[in-house]
Amino acid sequence: MLNDLRKDYLLDRWVVIATHRKQRPRDFLGKERASREISNKRSCPFCPGNERETPPAVLVYLKSRRGIVKGRDEDGVRHKDWLIRCVSNLYPAFSPPEKRESFKSGKAVGHHEVLIESPNHSEHPSVAKIEQLVHVINGYRDRLKDLSSRNYVRYVSIFRNHGADAGASLSHAHSQIIATPTIPRILQNELEASKSYLERDGSCAYCNILDSESGGPREVWENQRYFAFAPSAAVHPFELWIMPKNHETTLLDFDGSSVIKLAEAMRTCLGGLSSLLNDPPYNFGFHIAPVADAKHYHWHLEIYPRLSIWAGFEKSTGMYINVVPPEDSARNLKSTIEKLGD
Ligand SMILES: [Zn+2]
Ligand SMILES: [Zn+2]
Ligand SMILES: [Zn+2]
């Protein structure tokens, strides 16, 4: 019996679903997780009390009697008792243009920030309180709005590396935000493909993906606003996408009640992944419409567990081999989430 060769919904990206080499969740357990991370809380620059070890915060959420107050560190003062805190990366990949210097092509102009998700070192989204995750998502939205308004920014990437094997150098719960002067390739490809899809079919490609995956073998979880599923041409074992059911182009398109529902979706799906695979390393990234509006685009969150190492074939061809059929990963994730909910 031949393996499936599947193409991504929109991208020109192909994956072999290697059912002969098929692996089960337990095959990924018990693997030694690399521990290059700094996990000692006293030496953690993101823990409360160590605020001076980071650049000043561009955004903090503070508790007050009237609810959340937003602020930033100024004049050498570092806010204490914050709920979330966003600072410039100490080793930025992209930096703002210097004064009076306008946009220069060929230079990595932009921003590179770290959003510290909680004062609690280990409050990762898989275990976070919903109200804390709501602050995190609102923090993403605030930074997205601010960074999008700069004339040298074309795209804002919001992503998370979890675990040393996924590139996290610090284990304190944090996400990263990078604002770039060009639209990154994968986004550009998704934007172009969804635009021509709309011109051809008169409807949104992603709304159609939702319709066709809903109730199917790759469905994982849903609430009123969000749908989670394993994409049919997943390139990573246990890859998972979360998509808004409404047609929304970016994280600024929805209101506060959706933020709570998104927090629930992230908490549930990442909690399920963590429980099924013993807190695996993963990356996630939001795919959103760029600064200039693109009404044909439909934002989504892509989550990639890092359980297999891409070798020569993947690196040299851009074609992939996935040893866990997405139908299997969806079934396992779904039943794990159901058990956790009991
Ligand atoms: Zn810490
Ligand atoms: Zn749509
Ligand atoms: Zn995408």
Side-chain angles (χ1 to χ4, degrees):
M1 208 177 66
L2 289 170
N3 286 323
D4 275 3
L5 178 62
R6 299 185 187 174
K7 186 184 166 295
D8 180 75
Y9 301 109
L10 292 174
L11 302 177
D12 185 20
R13 184 176 67 196
W14 294 82
V15 57
V16 176
I17 305 296
T19 38
H20 295 314
R21 300 168 57 186
K22 188 157 109 172
Q23 298 198 327
R24 289 166 222 292
R26 63 169 179 273
D27 298 329
F28 296 103
L29 299 180
K31 267 193 185 170
E32 280 290 307
R33 304 254 188 259
S35 54
R36 294 186 297 274
E37 304 164 339
I38 297 172
S39 53
N40 185 332
K41 289 172 195 173
R42 206 176 297 164
S43 62
C44 171
F46 295 167
C47 269
N50 298 342
E51 287 83 3
R52 295 227 165 255
E53 290 176 35
T54 68
V58 292
L59 175 70
V60 284
Y61 282 11
L62 304 161
K63 255 180 287 186
S64 90
R65 254 176 250 142
R66 271 168 289 152
I68 305 296
V69 175
K70 298 176 187 184
R72 55 185 298 149
D73 292 340
E74 271 169 298
D75 301 326
V77 174
R78 295 286 198 276
H79 282 288
K80 304 272 176 199
D81 299 321
W82 41 272
L83 294 164
I84 59 162
R85 182 163 192 263
C86 188
V87 300
S88 289
N89 194 303
L90 260 185
Y91 307 101
F94 291 84
S95 310
E98 276 151 30
K99 279 197 183 79
R100 273 174 292 161
E101 180 190 41
S102 57
F103 174 75
K104 267 189 193 162
S105 68
K107 293 285 176 207
V109 167
H111 293 261
H112 189 169
E113 299 177 348
V114 174
L115 192 141
I116 302 161
E117 297 167 0
S118 167
N120 302 317
H121 188 85
S122 304
E123 192 167 7
H124 296 284
S126 59
V127 294
K129 288 202 276 307
I130 296 293
E131 58 171 334
Q132 187 63 33
L133 263 184
V134 165
H135 298 324
V136 174
I137 296 165
N138 282 329
Y140 293 159
R141 282 151 53 94
D142 286 343
R143 294 312 301 142
L144 173 61
K145 204 170 181 181
D146 182 4
L147 294 171
S148 297
S149 69
R150 318 282 168 112
N151 60 6
Y152 48 87
V153 169
R154 297 284 308 283
Y155 189 72
V156 178
S157 167
I158 300 167
F159 63 97
R160 188 171 206 280
N161 303 331
H162 182 80
D165 284 343
S169 52
L170 288 164
S171 61
H172 194 115
H174 70 284
S175 305
Q176 295 186 62
I177 301 169
I178 292 186
T180 59
T182 56
I183 299 176
R185 180 180 58 83
I186 292 183
L187 266 300
Q188 188 61 45
N189 292 350
E190 284 188 351
L191 282 159
E192 282 165 8
S194 56
K195 191 172 186 204
S196 35
Y197 190 101
L198 179 71
E199 284 162 2
R200 200 179 55 236
D201 288 27
S203 57
C204 164
Y206 293 94
C207 285
N208 289 348
I209 294 170
L210 274 173
D211 281 346
S212 63
E213 294 294 351
S214 177
R218 290 179 290 268
E219 180 180 299
V220 172
W221 189 81
E222 65 179 325
N223 61 16
Q224 294 97 311
R225 306 271 175 98
Y226 295 92
F227 180 72
F229 64 105
S232 70
V235 299
H236 300 84
F238 300 95
E239 182 172 337
L240 184 65
W241 292 8
I242 298 175
M243 230 184 248
K245 291 181 175 177
N246 292 333
H247 182 77
E248 297 164 352
T249 63
T250 181
L251 299 183
L252 302 175
D253 272 7
F254 51 81
D255 60 15
S257 62
S258 267
V259 174
I260 299 170
K261 292 290 165 198
L262 177 58
E264 246 177 56
M266 290 172 67
R267 171 70 171 77
T268 304
C269 292
L270 291 165
L273 199 67
S274 175
S275 164
L276 177 65
L277 296 160
N278 187 25
D279 193 22
Y282 66 80
N283 305 108
F284 77 45
F286 286 90
H287 280 176
I288 57 179
V291 177
D293 69 336
K295 290 282 172 244
H296 57 274
Y297 196 65
H298 190 128
W299 79 264
H300 51 281
L301 173 63
E302 301 191 2
I303 303 164
Y304 325 115
R306 293 283 290 258
L307 300 162
S308 53
I309 292 176
W310 286 346
F313 177 66
E314 285 85 352
K315 293 266 186 201
S316 64
T317 62
M319 190 183 254
Y320 301 89
I321 300 170
N322 183 354
V323 293
V324 180
E327 295 73 20
D328 288 9
S329 66
R331 198 182 53 248
N332 282 297
L333 277 167
K334 191 175 183 177
S335 67
T336 304
I337 289 169
E338 277 164 9
K339 271 179 229 150
L340 288 172
D342 286 345

